[in-house]
Structure formats: structure tokens, C-alpha cells
Amino acid sequence: MRIDPQLATLRGDPASQRAVQLRLEGIRDEWLAGEAAPVRAALAEYGRGAKFAELEALRNLVEQQGEAHSFVDAMMRPMTAALAEAPLGQIPFRHQKSGHFSTLELMRSGRAGLTLITYEEFDQPSASAGFASGDLHEVVLAGAADVRHLELLEENATHAAIDCTTRRVVASDTLRCTGPGETRLVERVHGRLVMLRIARTDENPKETRQYALDDGRLIHRASGSREESRREMAMALLGRMGRKDAAPVLAELAGEGSAHIRWQSLRECLALDSGAGFDALCRVAAGPADPLAVPAGALRAQLAEAYPQLLERSAEACPA
């Protein structure tokens, strides 16, 4: 294995590496306590549910020309200078890169986050669009791009009518999406695009929906809640591990949360223990006010026809 000389030197001097990291963290902390303090306080209020229009520090970032540049520049100048001297230092913000898209999360509080976003040059119109709960406010710091704004006019269980408008955005332009019926797609970037994003998720997020743009058909649904997403992944893992001992817990969870996560609980419970799962399915089907009663009743009938032995063992819990 070849180890770069710079890496070898740094590896052999952990005290120097630590000193570099402390310097970068110090630049971040000084910025957060100084230039960024008003924005940080406003973001905390926004994350707790305050209206965006009432928070001057956040509003100015988007509406006042040059305000966002000064805000970001106050952190980036000393940070990049320090990285130029110590290029192997780790920038002390959450960051990620995927293809032509990069993010740097500058701060987060509650349901709100402030993120620096970069798109490298690309030209790839999207075939579909996702709609999720929450609000989005963005200001372009540099570059230019063709952006499509989409609004749901009408949707049902299988399709949606979507209104689309495309515009060219350049430095100082702003973009806004409010609620689960709006979204935006960056379709073509000319050179490089840098934006500052202020985003907030809803307190009780609705499920996200992915629609094809050519005919409006529904492609995918997913929970809009991080907690429910974690729960869904945990249930799927238990199912793949064949943990039958988890079936009683899954049966109980079938009565908690959104319709989506409850249905997933039923599915995983049925896969692990058909008896316990069928009993839970019968309980859901028996609730006239339960939004899952009808699909649960239909599935119960299908399973009872295919596997009549389920009715025999569950005669008391689920009379056919």
C-alpha cells in the first residue's frame, strides 16, 4: 500500500494533527459566537415553529442583497486560509458529496437547518419529482442554473396533476417552496452553482410522494418522519434476521403511528409469525373508524381464503 508522504508525516505527529483540528474548530466557534450569532438565535426560533417572516436575521439572508455573501464569507475566508496551510485538516461541519452535489451544514436547531449547497456543472433533466413536507428558502450566492418549480394542482391515490415553470437563476436570486405541494428541481447548472439554504421540516410531516413528470403517475411513497424511517428500517432488519420473538412487539406497534408505519408493522409481523400477524390484522380490520380497516379487511379475506387454517387458530380473535 502506498501512503502519501504528507499523510505519513501527519500520522507520525498526532499532536500536530490535533493542533490543526483545534484551530479549525476555533474558527468555527468564533464565527458562530460572533458574525453568525443573530442568525443562530433566529434559526433556533424557526426550528421551534416561529414564522419565517417574523425572523429578521433569517429574512435578511434571503432578501437583502449581499447579506448572505457577507455571512458565509466571514466563516469561509479564515477557514479556507487555515486549510491552505493544513490541507489535511477536517472541516468541522457535517458535510457530504454525491456526484455533482455537495452540502455543508453550517448549523441546525430543532426542525430547522442552514446549509451551504454546491452543484457542479451538469445538464440532466429529471424524469420525476419528490414532494415532501416542510419549507425551503434559498438564495443563490454564485453561478447560474435552470431551475424548474413544480406545484401539485391535484393528486389522488395513483396520479397527480403538476404545474411546472422553468426559470434561469443567477447570483442574488431566491427560491422558495412552502408546504408539501411545492418543490423545485435544478436541471442544468452553468459552471458551478452555490446556494445558501434555510429549510424546516413540519412538526408532523406527511409522507413524501414521488411522481413521474411525463404522466403524473405515482412512483413511490415513503414516510416523511425520520423517527418512522428509523423504525421501518429496524423492523425490516428484524424481519431479515428472522427474529420471531419480535412478532408480539410488531403486533403491538401495528396500532401506533401513521397508517404507513402501521401497515409496515403488520407486514413484518405476518412475515415473522403468521398467527400473531393475522390476529393483529383482524384487530385492525375490526375498527370501523380505523383508516386501515378497509385494506386490512381485504387482506384478511385474501389470507383466509388462501390459508383457511389461520381462521381455525384465530376463531376467537377474528371470527370469519
Side-chain angles (χ1 to χ4, degrees):
M1 178 187 294
R2 177 187 177 277
I3 298 178
D4 188 275
Q6 282 186 295
L7 286 174
T9 301
L10 193 63
R11 188 176 177 183
D13 186 7
S16 174
Q17 181 179 3
R18 180 63 179 158
V20 168
Q21 206 56 38
L22 286 174
R23 181 184 175 189
L24 295 174
E25 292 172 7
I27 292 171
R28 175 201 61 193
D29 295 342
E30 184 177 350
W31 176 71
L32 288 172
E35 180 81 15
V39 172
R40 193 180 184 189
L43 190 74
E45 291 186 52
Y46 190 50
R48 289 191 293 266
K51 295 181 179 179
F52 185 85
E54 298 173 351
L55 301 170
E56 185 179 4
L58 295 185
R59 212 175 60 245
N60 287 345
L61 285 180
V62 178
E63 297 176 357
Q64 298 296 322
Q65 189 169 4
E67 189 75 17
H69 286 84
S70 300
F71 172 76
V72 173
D73 195 55
M75 181 275 293
M76 292 302 296
R77 279 189 180 276
M79 189 70 72
T80 52
L83 288 170
E85 296 177 11
L88 296 179
Q90 293 292 311
I91 192 165
F93 293 101
R94 293 182 61 181
H95 57 278
Q96 66 178 20
K97 178 176 175 59
S98 177
H100 55 260
F101 179 67
S102 303
T103 63
L104 186 70
E105 187 177 84
L106 302 179
M107 57 183 76
R108 173 163 290 279
S109 183
R111 296 184 282 116
L114 183 68
T115 308
L116 193 63
I117 299 171
T118 302
Y119 290 88
E120 303 295 336
E121 184 172 14
F122 77 98
D123 184 0
Q124 187 177 351
S126 301
S128 64
F131 293 83
S133 297
D135 295 335
L136 184 72
H137 303 266
E138 295 174 316
V139 57
V140 179
L141 300 180
D146 296 332
V147 178
R148 189 191 300 194
H149 181 270
L150 303 103
E151 182 178 1
L152 283 175
L153 302 178
E154 185 180 346
E155 60 180 326
N156 55 39
T158 60
H159 286 79
I162 304 173
D163 179 59
C164 302
T165 57
T166 302
R167 58 180 284 210
R168 173 76 55 85
V169 296
V170 297
S172 298
D173 281 347
T174 60
L175 297 165
R176 288 183 175 84
C177 294
T178 57
E182 291 184 74
T183 191
R184 63 105 177 108
L185 297 172
V186 177
E187 304 222 303
R188 182 182 182 187
V189 173
H190 308 275
R192 178 177 295 168
L193 179 72
V194 183
M195 296 194 297
L196 186 66
R197 169 192 290 174
I198 304 168
R200 182 177 67 182
T201 58
D202 287 350
E203 187 173 4
N204 297 302
K206 298 180 180 179
E207 63 181 8
T208 61
R209 296 93 66 218
Q210 189 85 12
Y211 290 105
L213 294 179
D214 57 352
D215 58 6
R217 71 186 184 283
L218 178 66
I219 298 175
H220 180 68
R221 289 182 182 270
S223 172
S225 165
R226 290 185 179 183
E227 180 58 36
E228 288 197 350
S229 293
R230 285 192 289 266
R231 178 171 147 187
E232 188 171 354
M233 287 189 287
M235 291 191 304
L237 178 60
L238 289 171
R240 303 309 173 267
M241 293 173 66
R243 291 290 300 271
K244 289 191 175 183
D245 57 321
V249 177
L250 294 176
E252 185 176 343
L253 289 175
E256 302 176 7
S258 68
H260 171 81
I261 196 65
R262 291 176 59 211
W263 192 254
Q264 290 300 110
S265 299
L266 283 172
R267 291 181 58 191
E268 294 294 346
C269 187
L270 281 164
L272 284 173
D273 186 326
S274 58
F278 191 73
D279 290 345
L281 186 68
C282 289
R283 287 194 294 271
V284 173
D290 195 319
L292 289 180
V294 173
L299 180 57
R300 179 187 63 184
Q302 293 175 12
L303 291 174
E305 182 179 358
Y307 307 100
Q309 61 268 34
L310 288 173
L311 289 176
E312 296 173 7
R313 68 164 303 284
S314 302
E316 293 185 4
C318 180

